[in-house]
Amino acid sequence: MNAEGRPTVRIFLAHGAVGGVPAALDGVPTSVVVTGLFLPRQDRTARARPAPIGFSVGHPDITAGTLGARVTDGTNVYILSNNHVMANKNAAQIGDPILQPGAYDGGTTTSDIIGYLHDFQPISFDSNNEMDAALAIVNGADVSGSTPSTAGYGAPSTTTVAASLGMGVQKYGRTTGHTFGTVEEINVTVSICFETRGPFQCAKAATFVGQISISDGNFSAGGDSGSLIVTANGNNPMGLLFAGSSTRTIANPIDVVLNRFGVTIDPTVPSGDPGDPGDPGDPADPITLSANAYKVRVVLSVDLTWSGATSTQVDIFRNGAVLTTVSNSGSYTDNTGLKGGGSLTYQVCEAGTSTCSATVTVNY
């Protein structure tokens, strides 16, 4: 019905700049609704390999955040997200597993480890901060450098830009998906509450300086933390989303983050469809690894065997950190010296590269 209560033919438009819309069809008045493109819905909380930008990710001890970007130092491939997403507000240890999807979305350490915490910028609660950021090292075959092509903005540019007032921006995140906003303020000093006491009191806050503020209360929501923010035109990375309120979203300048870790945006999209399981035996994992754990006089040893590596040497990772580099003989025994019970994860990579096996977990 139109304003006069008469039936109308409603016309959906992808954008408001479409011209030539008739005032009536067969004598029936028309009305226009700008809906944007209608696209297939995609579950951003699902497990996916390769995992696209914008999907759920997180440390096992947090709920879930967003996989912000695939980045590289020229040798290794990493996931970029927030400290509070992958390093649990400083409480995590280097080498801790990172889940995709995050624990809140059903991710577990037995089947959903996508990488291991590699580095993070500690959050100071006593002095000023410039970023809330962390890296997880991953097998490059398991992470896409693009959002889903049917639902997001595609791949980010490798050329970053500084934020400017009035700049149109967009992001693709775990909770609210593909949204658009406008840079409202720059060089912002803001207090971020990491622990609340009641609805209006903060128990633990940190001050961030030099930040970016984006307007539009629908730009982000809880769980979008870690999203890469890019320009509305050109997909140029501009910021790393980490906080927000009902009217503003706050982001770290992306160049500050990338320079801290010595990495660049990597838009590479590995072969394989998002949603492919990506577990041991997946064709996307070029190296096949198996592990056999046993004890001799209550001390744990683990026999590793692998195939598919073509380099002369391989790196052996235990719990996400390089244990040793050995010749590519196809086997290695880790005499751990450990007693009691627990679990260990292993991965074998061609030395100095991200050509790796899937991770294998042993329980003892």
Side-chain angles (χ1 to χ4, degrees):
M1 299 288 183
N2 63 12
E4 289 76 35
R6 297 175 59 194
T8 66
V9 175
R10 181 154 290 171
I11 299 175
F12 292 155
L13 300 180
H15 56 82
V18 175
V21 178
L25 289 173
D26 294 332
V28 179
T30 62
S31 61
V32 168
V33 177
V34 178
T35 62
L37 294 175
F38 286 103
L39 298 169
R41 296 300 189 191
Q42 189 149 5
D43 185 3
R44 297 177 296 275
T45 65
R47 187 186 193 282
R49 298 294 185 276
I53 289 175
F55 269 38
S56 171
V57 75
H59 187 278
D61 293 338
I62 69 113
T63 53
T66 293
L67 192 166
R70 172 183 167 127
V71 298
T72 182
D73 60 10
T75 300
N76 296 307
V77 175
Y78 308 93
I79 284 172
L80 173 65
S81 191
N82 295 143
N83 172 321
H84 78 265
V85 171
M86 297 201 301
N88 191 21
K89 296 178 291 187
N90 305 339
Q93 300 293 317
I94 299 300
D96 279 1
I98 302 300
L99 307 181
Q100 195 291 306
Y104 182 84
D105 297 320
T108 69
T109 55
T110 57
S111 60
D112 299 305
I113 295 173
I114 195 170
Y116 297 89
L117 183 63
H118 178 77
D119 195 4
F120 63 92
Q121 176 64 31
I123 297 171
S124 173
F125 294 93
D126 301 313
S127 58
N128 291 341
N129 298 272
E130 292 185 297
M131 72 191 76
D132 177 354
L135 291 185
I137 191 166
V138 297
N139 180 343
D142 287 340
V143 176
S144 173
S146 173
T147 69
S149 58
T150 60
Y153 58 79
S157 169
T158 57
T159 302
T160 61
V161 297
S164 60
L165 295 178
M167 175 185 284
V169 295
Q170 58 184 322
K171 75 97 184 64
Y172 187 75
R174 170 210 173 266
T175 305
T176 58
H178 191 195
T179 59
F180 294 82
T182 303
V183 174
E184 194 72 24
E185 295 95 10
I186 58 176
N187 197 27
V188 176
T189 297
V190 60
S191 178
I192 304 298
C193 185
F194 283 89
E195 293 180 14
T196 60
R197 184 188 296 119
F200 301 110
Q201 291 184 312
C202 186
K204 190 174 186 179
T207 300
F208 288 78
V209 298
Q211 303 301 292
I212 303 160
S213 170
I214 296 158
S215 63
D216 189 343
N218 298 317
F219 187 72
S220 69
D224 286 328
S225 288
S227 299
L228 183 68
I229 301 174
V230 303
T231 56
N233 295 312
N235 293 356
N236 299 99
M238 182 278 294
L240 184 68
L241 190 159
F242 78 105
S245 71
S246 60
T247 61
R248 291 288 192 277
T249 292
I250 306 298
N252 312 142
I254 194 62
D255 282 332
V256 173
V257 175
L258 297 178
N259 290 340
R260 157 62 177 84
F261 296 114
V263 295
T264 57
I265 298 293
D266 180 4
T268 301
V269 178
S271 59
D273 295 325
D276 186 19
D279 282 334
D282 189 304
D285 299 314
I287 302 172
T288 300
L289 173 66
S290 61
N292 178 48
Y294 57 94
K295 290 184 177 180
V296 178
R297 296 181 180 177
V298 306
V299 179
L300 176 69
S301 292
V302 181
D303 289 339
L304 303 174
T305 56
W306 65 88
S307 62
T310 59
S311 58
T312 57
Q313 291 186 306
V314 296
D315 294 328
I316 296 177
F317 288 79
R318 186 174 73 189
N319 289 351
V322 175
L323 173 67
T324 186
T325 300
V326 299
S327 62
N328 184 16
S329 64
S331 64
Y332 174 78
T333 297
D334 180 17
N335 297 307
T336 69
L338 298 172
K339 301 178 182 179
S343 64
L344 297 171
T345 59
Y346 289 92
Q347 189 175 40
V348 171
C349 301
E350 294 185 355
T353 76
S354 57
T355 301
C356 302
S357 69
T359 55
V360 173
T361 301
V362 297
N363 298 305
Y364 63 94

